[in-house]
């Protein structure tokens, strides 16, 4: 009987842990939601300027109140 | 948020950005205020755009390393953005070579009033937040057509000494997590940022709070945060695990589940009543630039580092 109680408790704990994992997966961004991060976003304007000058490319700046890569 | 999925996930936009541009993202709150070489350079670009003389400088800009504006757009939707990018590239191709490849000097000191960086030895924890709903007997993210169904991200910053203290607390058998770290989490990170920039909680709005760790690193806590008029609040529980090795976090994993209600000035559109919200705090190695951007709540840095004040 004691073993049965122990096994049940362990089982419930495992189920609880699995339930938590499921919820965590619901909360963190999915792969489809993260596609925009495949772009090599820099966060330092001067570094971007130096790289643009070195590589001969124009700069694309995404400017938002609240950082576009975080905050929301 | 809409730009992330509507524009920057578009394959043609992505390919063009990857091949033809140096891409940067910035927080306008800091950048438009900077009184240093970076701020001067940005102002030079802005003054050629429709944002000249306007309080906000938000938008999408294309320009050269010398500061010549080639394109500006603040519309959502990949078609208009692609048209702007292609037009800017056409202007770029017509520029003389000396305007395309130039020598850029070092910029000197950053304006510390409007520049934030992780303190030496500090570590970063990513904070993901998502509105949830109960379907089929379990908590799930909102259906795709609902406002707030996307996961929002912020960053919690910790200082070296704080991690050392956490390690000592666990090694001594556990106990209450320090007020400084606890209040930082409560005031600046237990927030609904799924629809925009939320306001910080005030200390007196934290009505109930407990956050402790045991000798094995298991974390547990409860909280009730509510505005004085009761119109906005968040109540729930925290569970997780912490591990500190040689004064460095090797694990920081929190799951926060609760019910949130109400909105602040820039987070309108909340669901009515008290509705489920979930948060995941997870240690980051900080390798990607997007992992190293400052916490939203650090605009007033002394308040972030000393939240008891």
């Amino acid at each position: 009987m004691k073993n049965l109680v122990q096994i049940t408790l362990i089982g419930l704990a495992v189920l609880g842990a699995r339930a938590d994992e499921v919820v965590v997966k619901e909360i963190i961004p999915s792969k489809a939601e993260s596609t925009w991060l495949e772009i090599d976003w820099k966060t330092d304007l001067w570094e971007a300027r130096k790289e643009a000058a070195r590589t001969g490319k124009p700069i694309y700046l995404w400017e938002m109140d609240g950082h576009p890569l975080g905050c929301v | 948020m809409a730009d992330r999925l509507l524009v920057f996930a578009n394959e043609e936009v992505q390919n063009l950005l990857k091949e033809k541009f140096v891409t940067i993202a910035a927080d306008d709150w800091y950048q438009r205020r900077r009184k240093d070489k970076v701020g001067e350079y940005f102002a030079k670009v802005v003054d050629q755009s429709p944002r000249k003389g306007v309080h906000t400088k938000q938008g999408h800009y294309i320009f050269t390393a010398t500061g010549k504006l080639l394109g500006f757009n603040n519309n959502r939707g990949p078609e208009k953005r692609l048209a702007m990018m292609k037009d800017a590239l056409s202007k770029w191709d017509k520029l003389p070579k000396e305007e395309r490849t130039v020598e850029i000097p070092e910029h000197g000191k950053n304006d510390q009033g409007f520049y934030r960086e992780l303190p030496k030895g500090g570590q970063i924890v990513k904070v993901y937040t998502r509105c949830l709903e109960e379907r089929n007997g379990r908590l799930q993210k909102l259906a795709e057509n609902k406002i707030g169904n996307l996961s929002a991200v912020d960053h919690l910053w910790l200082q070296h000494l704080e991690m050392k203290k956490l390690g000592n607390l666990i090694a001594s058998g556990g106990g209450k997590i320090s007020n400084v770290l606890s209040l930082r989490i409560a005031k600046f990170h237990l927030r609904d940022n799924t629809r925009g920039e939320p306001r910080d909680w005030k200390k007196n709005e934290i009505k109930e709070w407990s956050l402790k760790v045991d000798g094995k690193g298991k974390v547990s806590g409860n909280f009730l945060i509510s505005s004085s008029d009761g119109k906005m609040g968040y109540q729930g529980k925290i569970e997780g695990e912490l591990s500190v090795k040689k004064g460095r976090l090797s694990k920081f994993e929190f799951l926060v589940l609760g019910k949130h209600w109400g909105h602040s000035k820039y987070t309108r559109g909340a669901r009515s009543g008290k509705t489920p919200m979930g948060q995941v705090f997870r240690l980051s190695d900080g390798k990607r630039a997007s992992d190293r951007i400052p916490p939203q709540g650090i605009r007033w840095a002394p308040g972030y580092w000393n939240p008891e004040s």
Side-chain angles (χ1 to χ4, degrees), chain A residues 22 26-28 33 35-36 40 42 45-46 49-50 53 56 58-66 68 70-72, chain B residues 4 14 22-28 31 58-63 65 102 105-106 130 141 151 153 193 196 296:
Chain A
V22 170
E26 291 288 332
I27 296 168
I28 59 174
E33 275 177 83
T35 314
W36 61 282
D40 180 24
K42 304 194 181 320
L45 181 57
W46 207 266
R49 187 183 186 196
K50 281 162 80 173
I59 298 161
Y60 184 106
L61 167 66
W62 180 12
E63 178 96 357
M64 262 179 63
D65 237 333
C71 162
V72 292
Chain B
R4 295 178 185 170
Q14 281 223 352
V22 173
T23 44
I24 167 169
D27 186 342
D28 190 43
Q31 197 144 270
Q58 294 183 104
H60 298 260
Y61 300 78
I62 296 176
F63 49 96
V102 289
E106 294 303 319
R130 175 119 58 185
K141 59 186 154 192
S151 178
V153 63
N193 58 344
Q296 173 70 9

Side-chain angles (χ1 to χ4, degrees), chain B residues 150-168:
Chain B
L150 296 173
S151 178
V153 63
D154 196 2
H155 301 90
L156 163 68
W157 279 3
L158 292 99
Q159 302 191 72
H160 178 64
L161 192 61
E162 294 167 346
M163 293 176 280
K164 213 172 154 185
K165 282 183 180 170
L166 268 180
N168 291 341

